[in-house]
Amino acid sequence: MNVMLGLLGLMVGLAIAAMLVTIGLAVVRSSPMMTFIALGFTYPLVAVLLAGAVTLRPDHGLLIEKTRTTADSDCWGVVAHCSTRAQRQLAKTTLDRCLQTL
């Protein structure tokens, strides 16, 4: 996702630079190449930062912290991504059965 948004940001930045050069603003007329370089760098950077903000999942922080604490205490941690209650119950009974065999 980050790469796709970065490339999209690059295309948008270059399109805006081309539009500014075509319009012929005084600032852009003096150095059109620097306009392409500046916008071709800035827009992908902003897009990748936005992609990072979108993929940041604060709801996973608690799970990650519990997993790290478990791993630091030399224990195993199992993470099961269940989308229904039936899957959650199946995962719980399976793990309980595995723990009984230990």
Side-chain angles (χ1 to χ4, degrees):
M1 179 175 184
N2 289 347
V3 174
M4 287 176 30
L5 283 177
L7 291 174
L8 179 66
L10 177 65
M11 290 187 301
V12 169
L14 293 177
I16 290 174
M19 183 178 66
L20 290 174
V21 168
T22 303
I23 291 172
L25 296 173
V27 174
V28 177
R29 265 186 288 153
S30 64
S31 59
M33 186 58 71
M34 286 306 295
T35 302
F36 279 100
I37 292 171
L39 294 180
F41 175 76
T42 304
Y43 275 81
L45 182 65
V46 170
V48 169
L49 286 173
L50 286 175
V54 168
T55 58
L56 182 66
R57 297 288 307 263
D59 58 329
H60 289 183
L62 183 61
L63 177 66
I64 291 169
E65 185 59 34
K66 283 184 179 182
T67 306
R68 282 186 184 149
T69 304
T70 304
D72 289 342
S73 62
D74 292 331
C75 294
W76 285 80
V78 177
V79 178
H81 181 75
C82 304
S83 56
T84 64
R85 288 180 189 239
Q87 288 178 349
R88 184 173 64 191
Q89 187 60 37
L90 178 63
K92 187 173 175 64
T93 54
T94 304
L95 287 173
D96 287 341
R97 198 174 320 133
C98 289
L99 288 174
Q100 289 173 357
T101 61
L102 292 176

